[in-house]
Amino acid sequence: MVILYFTILKPKNPEITSQPVVLEHFELMVLPAIKLNVSLRIVVTVNNRNYGGFEYQNSTAYVTYRGDVVAEVPLQADTIPARREHNISTTVIVLADKLLTNPKILDDFKWGLGTLNFTSATTLHGKAIILKVFKKKATSDCTCDTSLFLGNISSHFDCKSSLKF
């Protein structure tokens, strides 16, 4: 059993990739105060390389820009099957007015040639289901660094995830 665990059943961190982002909603209000909200539709693909599935509860991911929360991402409870790719589709509610009021945004446009760097953090609480028999509480943490290049309208996405029992 020990050899089996350390060779085949040893938990592996999932691989996470992002699909192209779609603009879902855009709202600009000028009066009584300037307010800008944007909703983006995203699909994230999780490649679960483990022999156990992961069932998680409702959660929220937060996107920050230079320490300020600028977006919330609701995640509905779901199950990521063992040894499969699973798409998670959700809407990112960008609080653009919080982004635009950050005093360092002008520096990023000026010196970064139109590059904005964001960090998202997600913690999913749930249970790992190994061989459809054993259930164990688990927590998955994921941190993603995203760079948006406004000049050529592209992005770079780099995620690091971990699974803790």
Side-chain angles (χ1 to χ4, degrees):
M1 290 297 283
V2 172
I3 292 171
L4 183 65
Y5 175 79
F6 282 109
T7 57
I8 296 175
L9 299 178
K10 181 180 177 184
K12 300 168 193 74
N13 291 332
E15 296 172 348
I16 300 171
T17 56
S18 176
Q19 308 302 323
V21 176
V22 176
L23 179 64
E24 190 172 78
H25 177 76
F26 181 86
E27 177 186 12
L28 175 63
M29 292 176 24
V30 180
L31 296 173
I34 295 177
K35 186 173 184 175
L36 176 64
N37 286 327
V38 179
S39 296
L40 305 171
R41 189 82 182 145
I42 64 165
V43 176
V44 176
T45 301
V46 178
N47 180 12
N48 184 2
R49 304 176 300 154
N50 294 299
Y51 283 92
F54 182 66
E55 185 177 296
Y56 61 90
Q57 304 163 358
N58 288 342
S59 186
T60 303
Y62 296 96
V63 180
T64 60
Y65 172 76
R66 295 195 175 247
D68 293 337
V69 175
V70 295
E72 295 180 359
V73 185
L75 299 169
Q76 293 188 352
D78 202 354
T79 300
I80 300 173
R83 312 260 323 143
R84 299 247 192 285
E85 283 190 353
H86 182 72
N87 288 334
I88 299 174
S89 179
T90 189
T91 300
V92 178
I93 303 160
V94 180
L95 309 170
D97 49 342
K98 286 189 177 183
L99 176 65
L100 296 175
T101 57
N102 188 306
K104 303 213 177 184
I105 194 164
L106 292 177
D107 291 339
D108 284 345
F109 277 110
K110 186 175 174 183
W111 303 113
L113 301 174
T115 302
L116 299 177
N117 297 310
F118 298 92
T119 301
S120 63
T122 308
T123 300
L124 298 175
H125 299 284
K127 55 186 165 188
I129 304 166
I130 303 165
L131 301 174
K132 298 183 182 180
V133 177
F134 303 104
K135 295 180 181 180
K136 184 168 178 128
K137 286 186 179 181
T139 301
S140 175
D141 292 314
C142 181
T143 302
C144 297
D145 294 318
T146 304
S147 296
L148 293 178
F149 306 105
L150 303 175
N152 60 359
I153 310 172
S154 64
S155 63
H156 176 70
F157 186 79
D158 181 39
C159 287
K160 293 175 180 55
S161 60
S162 65
L163 188 61
K164 299 173 192 159
F165 293 98

